[in-house]
Amino acid sequence: MSAARPPEGAQHRSAQREESPFSGLQSLLAPASVAVVGASSDPQRIGGRPIAWMRRAGFAGAIYPVNPGRDEVQGLRAYPSVAALPEAPEAAIVAVPSPLVAIVVVTAVAAVFGIDVRTVADLGELPSALPSFALPD
């Protein structure tokens, strides 16, 4: 008995999908891991909703809550910074007050690429509370 063959043209469509200019969006649309910066234990708060929603929907990837004030968030191990994560997440949700968003994003990118941004904090460019929140030790 011969193995079932895919419908004619199926391989072609699959090849088109792999070569699509949108294939780079895979990590955004279906990430293998997500960091939630500003994660909250309260699923009603802005930093807690995404975690609750992902878990309720059965998200199979890794969820990394980032909150320097907690060891655990919604039953998941929490990390003090993006730099402390065990891997670079494929996606991140930034749920912090608006004055901190830009520096959290810069710090997250720096952590992923191994760039030291502490020198910026030394120059007084960052809010005083931020270095303990987002910058690596």
Side-chain angles (χ1 to χ4, degrees):
M1 183 178 259
S2 64
R5 301 187 76 171
E8 192 168 316
Q11 291 173 330
H12 176 67
R13 283 192 298 274
S14 174
Q16 281 182 333
R17 197 173 316 128
E18 290 173 13
E19 296 172 12
S20 166
F22 301 107
S23 61
L25 294 175
Q26 182 67 21
S27 63
L28 178 63
L29 300 175
S33 57
V34 177
V36 180
V37 183
S40 173
S41 291
D42 183 350
Q44 299 303 312
R45 296 184 58 92
I46 194 72
R49 287 181 202 152
I51 296 169
W53 291 338
M54 286 187 284
R55 295 182 85 188
R56 192 168 37 243
F59 177 68
I63 301 171
Y64 297 121
V66 177
N67 184 323
R70 301 201 176 265
D71 293 328
E72 182 181 294
V73 170
Q74 296 186 40
L76 300 171
R77 177 180 174 196
Y79 297 86
S81 67
V82 174
L85 296 177
E87 66 176 335
E90 285 194 7
I93 297 169
V94 179
V96 298
S98 59
L100 301 179
V101 170
I103 193 61
V104 167
V105 171
V106 167
T107 302
V109 170
V112 169
F113 290 102
I115 301 166
D116 186 357
V117 295
R118 287 178 283 187
T119 55
V120 176
D122 293 338
L123 296 173
E125 299 290 328
L126 304 176
S128 61
L130 184 63
S132 64
F133 176 75
L135 297 176
D137 294 333

